[in-house]
């Protein structure tokens, strides 16, 4: 896969932004997007339509996320995270250390189109993997995988998106190491796999048939497998269960419950996305570093899918 950089670099220069690394570390996470087989599986066009919406999505409290830049040619874009504030609400005066007076508030003039607390994060699309890689941590600022999940969950419900692409699923790619750790817990008492419909070419024919049969049994778009051990017995997941757990890691969720020092403890992959991390020199530009780390993340996801296909 080849990324071009020119368009994105020009965009940042035009905005007058200089990416100066205050912390020599970057973390990149991924979102797995699945367009139904019955619809137009053009992932580049999907992101283009999302960008053209020019719509922010509430991801937490007063915080919103939007696609503010997207190069269809380079398949590189920018997420902008910002805050919506109630300018008509009460304000606190630090000088008087009390509520601001009505006279002082009359001096407050914030244009409706300006939003505070902006932070921006690169993202990139690998259409063959239908995965978005994004900066989860850069320039001492963070964007959680759950926040990006919430963005896509809501934005993909837009009528223009559904009309062309159908019901598009999106899930953060979970840590493969965390899934293996859960499956290997010495006192594993409960294992819960939630699987939403994956792309069949990601998991191979055998696993795809198993998942499709389970979904058709109840006419659903996701299903759960739950295993429990009673009394002094512990779970020992089979190879089939391990494979399904890895599928759930990209298309759903894996939860475990185990005894730790006599206390029942829950573990959830939603708290552990797959992260690719690197450190770098503070004078290196941010975009080429992101591209390098994104490629590494894509390679890890590709290798896991090849292994699952057998």
């Amino acid at each position: 896969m080849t990324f071009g950089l020119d368009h994105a670099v020009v965009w940042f220069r035009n905005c007058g932004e200089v990416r100066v690394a205050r912390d020599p570390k970057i973390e990149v996470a991924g979102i797995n997007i699945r367009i139904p087989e019955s619809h137009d599986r053009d992932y580049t066009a999907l992101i283009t339509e999302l960008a053209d919406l020019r719509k922010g999505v509430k991801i937490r409290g007063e915080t919103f996320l939007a696609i503010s830049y997207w190069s269809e040619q380079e398949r590189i874009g920018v997420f902008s995270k910002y805050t919506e504030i109630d300018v008509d609400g009460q304000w606190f005066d630090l000088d008087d250390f009390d509520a601001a007076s009505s006279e002082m508030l009359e001096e407050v003039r914030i244009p409706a189109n300006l939003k505070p607390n902006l932070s921006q994060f690169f993202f990139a699309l690998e259409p063959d993997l239908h995965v978005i890689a994004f900066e989860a941590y850069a320039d001492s600022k963070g964007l959680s995988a759950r926040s990006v999940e919430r963005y896509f969950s809501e934005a993909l419900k837009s009528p223009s998106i559904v009309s062309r692409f159908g019901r598009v699923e999106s899930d953060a790619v979970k840590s493969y190491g965390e899934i293996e750790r859960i499956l290997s817990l010495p006192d594993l008492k409960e294992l819960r796999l939630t699987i939403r419909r994956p792309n069949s070419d990601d998991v191979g024919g055998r696993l795809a048939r198993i998942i499709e049969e389970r979904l058709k049994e109840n006419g659903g778009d996701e299903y759960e497998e739950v295993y429990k051990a009673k009394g002094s017995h512990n779970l020992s997941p089979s190879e089939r269960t391990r494979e399904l757990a890895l599928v759930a890691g990209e298309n759903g969720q894996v939860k475990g419950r185990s005894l730790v020092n006599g206390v029942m403890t829950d573990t959830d992959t939603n708290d552990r996305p797959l992260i690719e991390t690197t450190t770098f020199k503070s004078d290196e530009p941010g975009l080429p570093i992101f591209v390098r780390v994104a490629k590494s993340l894509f390679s890890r996801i590709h290798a896991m899918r090849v292994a699952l296909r057998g």
Side-chain angles (χ1 to χ4, degrees):
M1 179 185 62
T2 301
F3 283 113
L5 305 182
D6 293 343
H7 287 74
V9 170
V10 168
W11 183 82
F12 269 93
R13 286 175 178 168
N14 289 342
C15 286
E17 178 173 338
V18 178
R19 298 297 294 269
V20 179
R22 295 182 295 276
D23 191 318
K25 182 178 78 167
I26 181 175
E27 296 180 354
V28 175
I31 297 289
N32 182 34
I33 300 173
R34 288 97 66 201
I35 299 173
E37 295 181 3
S38 57
H39 287 72
D40 180 11
R41 287 183 135 176
D42 186 339
Y43 288 94
T44 302
L46 172 64
I47 304 304
T48 298
E49 290 226 12
L50 286 174
D52 288 345
L53 291 175
R54 295 174 62 86
K55 176 184 178 182
V57 170
K58 182 185 288 191
I59 56 174
R60 185 187 67 255
E62 297 177 335
T63 304
F64 285 69
L65 190 67
I67 295 176
S68 57
Y69 170 80
W70 167 244
S71 169
E72 191 172 48
Q73 178 183 354
E74 313 293 352
R75 298 195 295 273
I76 293 176
V78 173
F79 285 126
S80 286
K81 186 170 70 169
Y82 59 90
T83 303
E84 291 268 12
I85 61 173
D86 180 10
V87 296
D88 296 324
Q90 285 193 314
W91 292 68
F92 187 70
D93 185 342
L94 288 175
D95 290 336
D96 292 341
F97 224 65
D98 200 352
S101 66
S102 57
E103 292 79 10
M104 184 171 291
L105 290 179
E106 289 177 358
E107 301 175 8
V108 178
R109 294 289 185 271
I110 301 177
N113 62 302
L114 296 184
K115 307 300 177 184
N117 303 318
L118 173 68
S119 53
Q120 295 183 302
F121 305 86
F122 288 122
F123 72 86
L125 168 69
E126 172 41 70
D128 292 338
L129 295 176
H130 46 88
V131 170
I132 293 278
F134 65 93
E135 289 180 311
Y137 181 88
D139 292 347
S140 300
K141 296 180 179 179
L143 177 63
S144 71
R146 286 194 179 189
S147 293
V148 181
E149 267 189 330
R150 290 189 189 103
Y151 167 78
F152 279 107
S153 176
E154 291 303 315
L156 290 170
K157 295 176 184 175
S158 299
S160 61
I161 300 296
V162 175
S163 175
R164 177 173 177 182
F165 300 100
R167 179 178 174 180
V168 182
E169 297 282 1
S170 59
D171 290 279
V173 180
K174 314 305 190 297
S175 167
Y176 303 133
E178 180 66 7
I179 294 169
E180 296 285 6
R181 190 188 72 82
I182 292 174
L183 297 174
S184 302
L185 288 170
D187 295 304
L188 184 61
K189 298 297 183 181
E190 181 175 325
L191 180 65
R192 185 179 298 269
L193 311 180
T194 301
I195 300 178
R196 287 176 276 276
R197 181 173 273 109
N199 278 6
S200 58
D201 52 356
D202 294 340
V203 300
R206 180 175 57 84
L207 286 175
R209 284 192 296 273
I210 292 172
I211 295 167
E212 194 59 36
E213 286 174 4
R214 299 295 188 276
L215 293 172
K216 284 184 176 179
E217 283 176 2
N218 297 294
D221 293 306
E222 73 173 54
Y223 83 98
E224 285 190 343
E225 287 200 6
V226 182
Y227 306 90
K228 296 182 180 181
K230 295 183 179 180
S232 61
H233 297 286
N234 299 313
L235 293 175
S236 181
S238 66
E239 181 61 22
R240 169 191 173 279
T241 300
R242 174 186 171 275
E243 291 175 340
L244 287 175
L246 290 168
V247 173
E250 290 190 11
N251 304 274
Q253 184 178 12
V254 179
K255 290 183 178 181
R257 174 170 287 187
S258 63
L259 276 177
V260 179
N261 298 323
V263 178
M264 198 67 74
T265 304
D266 293 328
T267 308
D268 188 341
T269 54
N270 275 351
D271 301 322
R272 294 292 301 274
L274 181 67
I275 294 286
E276 193 73 11
T277 305
T278 193
T279 56
F280 54 93
K281 296 180 181 178
S282 59
D283 59 350
E284 291 183 74
L287 181 56
I289 295 168
F290 165 70
V291 168
R292 185 171 71 242
V293 181
K295 285 182 178 180
S296 180
L297 183 82
F298 291 144
S299 294
R300 290 178 66 184
I301 294 171
H302 174 70
M304 178 56 71
R305 292 180 181 177
V306 169
L308 285 173
R309 289 197 296 264

